[in-house]
Structures are given as C-alpha cells and as structure tokens.
Amino acid sequence: MKQSFAVINITRLKFDELHKQPPLKLDSNYLKYLIHYILTKQAFFVERETFLELPIDDISDQYISIGEKAKLARHDKHKKHIDYLFNNNFTVRRSRTTTIQVSVLFRDEYISGKKSFGYRISDRLKGKPILIDFIDDNRLITKIKDSTSIIDPVINSGKYKFLKKYFVFEPRQPNLLKIDLAKAFQLCKNRYETHRSYTKYLNEASQIVEMHNGVFRIYYNKETDGRIHSNITRLPKVYRKFLNYNNKALVEVDLSASILFFISVILSKSIPIDIVKKYSILLMIYKSLETVDNKEIQEFENITLSGSIYNYFIPLFIQKYDIEQLTQLYKRIDDEPYNGEAHQQRKLVKKRLLGMFFAQADNYPVEQSIFGSKFPTLLKGINDFKNENGYKMFSHALFQLEAYLMIDLSALEFKKAFSKKAPIFTLHDCLITTVGHEKELALIMRTVFNQSLGVAPDMTIKVWN
C-alpha cells in the first residue's frame, strides 16, 4: 500500500519535475526530505531551548548538521542532492523584469575534528511561508520513521509499555491516533498571521506533521518530573480539537489545581508511608513544612479541595497589577487580547502562581507578596526547602507524586478495565480517552486518589472539539 508522508517545505520549492531532467537524475522525495529534516531540527531546537528556559534567537539562523544516521541514502547520492540544494540552481524573481539564480541552502563550513557541515535555509528564502508537501516513497518513509521515532525503554518494553500500543499500531497499518492535517495546518497559518513569530510557526507546523506521520517521540525521566512527554504533551492546546482515535473524539479528565492539591496533601501528611518511601524527597519537604501554622494548613486545604484557589487570589492580583501590566503578562501566555474576563484572570493567576512555586525562592516578588499575605508560614517553609535543596527539587517531588497516582495507578487501572474498548493517554495532570468512557475514567481516578490519599481533588471533564 502506497503511503503518504507529510513534510514541511518552503513555498515555491517544487521538486517533482526534477526526475525528468536526465543529466541530474535527482530524487524529488529525497530533496523534500532534506529540507524537511533541516526545518524540523530547527523546530526541535526551539523545543529544547524552551524546555531549558534558554533565550531563543532567530531560529532560522541556526545551522543544522546532518549526521550519518540522518543520511538516508548512499553517500554519493546524499552528496549530489545536498550539493544541488546548496548551489545556485533555483530561479527567483528579483523584479518584474529580472530573475536571479539562488541556492536553497546556506552551508556552515566543515572544520576537521571540530565541526561538521551545517545547513540552513538561504537568506533569499528564509522566512518564506511554510507549506505541506508529501513523500510517496515507501522505503524512504520507513527509513525516516525508523530514524526519527524515539520511544523511551520504559515505554517501549518496560513498566509503561501498556501506553505504547495507543501510539504505535501494527506495522504497515495506519495509526489509530490521527490529526486532521488540513484543518490543523490552516489554523497554524492563521495563527502566524496574528502572532508573526516564525519560530512559533515553524515549531507548531513541525508538531502537526509529526503527529500526522505517526513519528512519535516519547520520553520519560524518573529522576526529574517522572512524567511522560509525548507528541500529545508537546502539541499546543489549540490543536487538540483536531485529534481523534479510531475516528472518535478525545476527552480529558483533568485534576483541578493539581500542584496545589499535592501541596495540600503533603501539608496534611495524608500520604501513606509506602508512597513516601518511594519518594524520599517527600520526607525532606515534610521537615521544611513542619512549622506551618495549622490555621494556614486548614485554609489552604479548604480552598484547594473546593477548586477555587486561583479565584481566591484574583482580587489580590488586580490590586497589585494595573491593567497595562496585566495585559503585558497575559500577552506572554496567550495570543488573544486581554480584556479582563474571568477566565483570563484565572488563567493568568494560575500561570503566575505556578511560576512562583517552580522558580527560585527570590523570583516572582509580587506573587511572593500576594501569596505570603495569606499564607506566610507556608511560603517560608517552601522557600526554606528551595534554598536548602534547590528549587527544582520542589517541583520534581510534586510531579513525581502526581505521575505515580496518575500513570502507575489510575492509567494502568483504566487500561486493565477498558483495554479493548478505549485508549488511555497521559497529559501531565490529565488522563485522556475517547468520548463515551470519560465517566468510567473519572471514577477510576477518584477511587485511586481516595484509596491512596483519603481525598480526591476536584476534576473536570473536557471534550476535545
């Protein structure tokens, strides 16, 4: 069966006629692959730098090396194709009456023992609109998937293997997890017209085609957050409505204020000793929080379990920030204009408070002041822990506890009960299945939390449509 593999290309780069030019004998599929490879690796650079919280310069200036694993053709064939893109073989219009010959790629030169060749789109073509093109060579498609798909051993054959089946279907059969490529990419283009960030544009286009192609990159790091990071977790929220599984819409069951909920259960010391032993860092947090005032513990638990904690802080944020400051802060997290609607206020408060919890103890001074005005001894205990053990350890402990309850217990329990009826995917503090099974999933999650902690957080159900 002929496969169709989507690739990112640059407007006006048409390669399909090249095989008709006998002296060249170029493979249009391989040329498309090379352009796609360079652009998606630039997009991956965005993903990596964002995760590491490093500043991102103009991504289109980043040179990409093409390692041996990425050269999916004989050396002579690869060299002929990359040289063709590097040399001045493409005609572009300079004015109404004149044209010039330009290269598709610029090359960063090789330095023996220090640096291999690197490539990027040439200045004449850099920043041009992205389009979706297609490769139809089955052998090349298989090589691309084999060389670019990455599945962590713990998911490929370890204890989380039960999650793999919903991403990777049987060989030579279509993936059941699909995205509406045309609608998703149209939205990607529309968003670019608004935000005008080529970096974001390229990154989102890459995520869309990876999902369409079934090129899955699934990571797990036990030592940090313990969460599973997949194509679903990387795909921006606005594109989730275009996903489906076996032609059925997806639905999430989401923990409300999950991080604050886990802080609450740590404060109340309701975590069973067998779980505490699994994550010894919890004992260190217990020690740092043992002087928190009991009245604060009770108040924090009340507003957290009611799901109203972010709304609780909205009036204080409005007092501390003027409308211009709120507008600028919101612009950092969303493309829509800020007009002070309730959902925008809550989203901003959530983002800023979580940013404070996950940052160093001396960051987010305004948020520290706001939170400290209501929970001074709790804030001090958290900051003391960060200063003594490093700020990342605090978030890692909360994420690992969350992952244990959500993945090791809830997701596995759902899989045992509904494996042949519905899929299960993880998205940090959400679990995802197909419409029609959300109530069963929510029930399993509540049961797991109540049995494990004696309490369950508020949960919301959202259909991805």
Side-chain angles (χ1 to χ4, degrees), residues 175-188:
N175 293 308
L176 295 183
L177 179 63
K178 298 177 184 176
I179 189 168
D180 189 319
L181 179 63
K183 289 182 179 179
F185 188 66
Q186 184 60 53
L187 176 59
C188 180

Side-chain angles (χ1 to χ4, degrees), residues 82-101:
I82 201 74
D83 285 349
Y84 181 81
L85 295 172
F86 173 64
N87 293 318
N88 296 328
N89 290 309
F90 290 80
T91 303
V92 298
R93 187 168 296 281
R94 192 173 190 178
S95 67
R96 289 185 177 183
T97 58
T98 62
T99 59
I100 57 173
Q101 296 296 112

Side-chain angles (χ1 to χ4, degrees), residues 45-66:
F45 180 87
V46 176
E47 181 183 310
R48 182 177 67 88
E49 298 300 277
T50 302
F51 178 76
L52 296 176
E53 300 179 352
L54 298 175
I56 302 172
D57 297 321
D58 185 356
I59 195 62
S60 54
D61 285 335
Q62 296 294 327
Y63 284 92
I64 302 299
S65 62
I66 304 176

Side-chain angles (χ1 to χ4, degrees), residues 63 226 275 301 379 458:
Y63 284 92
I275 298 180
E301 183 177 356
L379 179 64
D458 191 33

Side-chain angles (χ1 to χ4, degrees), residues 8 23 34 73 103 112 139 174-175 180 186 230-231 239 270 275 294 311 334-335 347 362 365 367 376 380 404 408 460:
I8 297 174
L34 290 172
S103 63
S112 179
R139 182 175 296 181
N175 293 308
D180 189 319
Q186 184 60 53
S230 69
N231 298 61
Y239 299 108
S270 61
I275 298 180
N294 286 331
N311 292 334
D334 203 297
D335 294 331
K347 184 175 184 178
D362 57 354
E367 286 69 26
K380 182 181 184 302
Y404 174 70
D408 294 56
T460 57

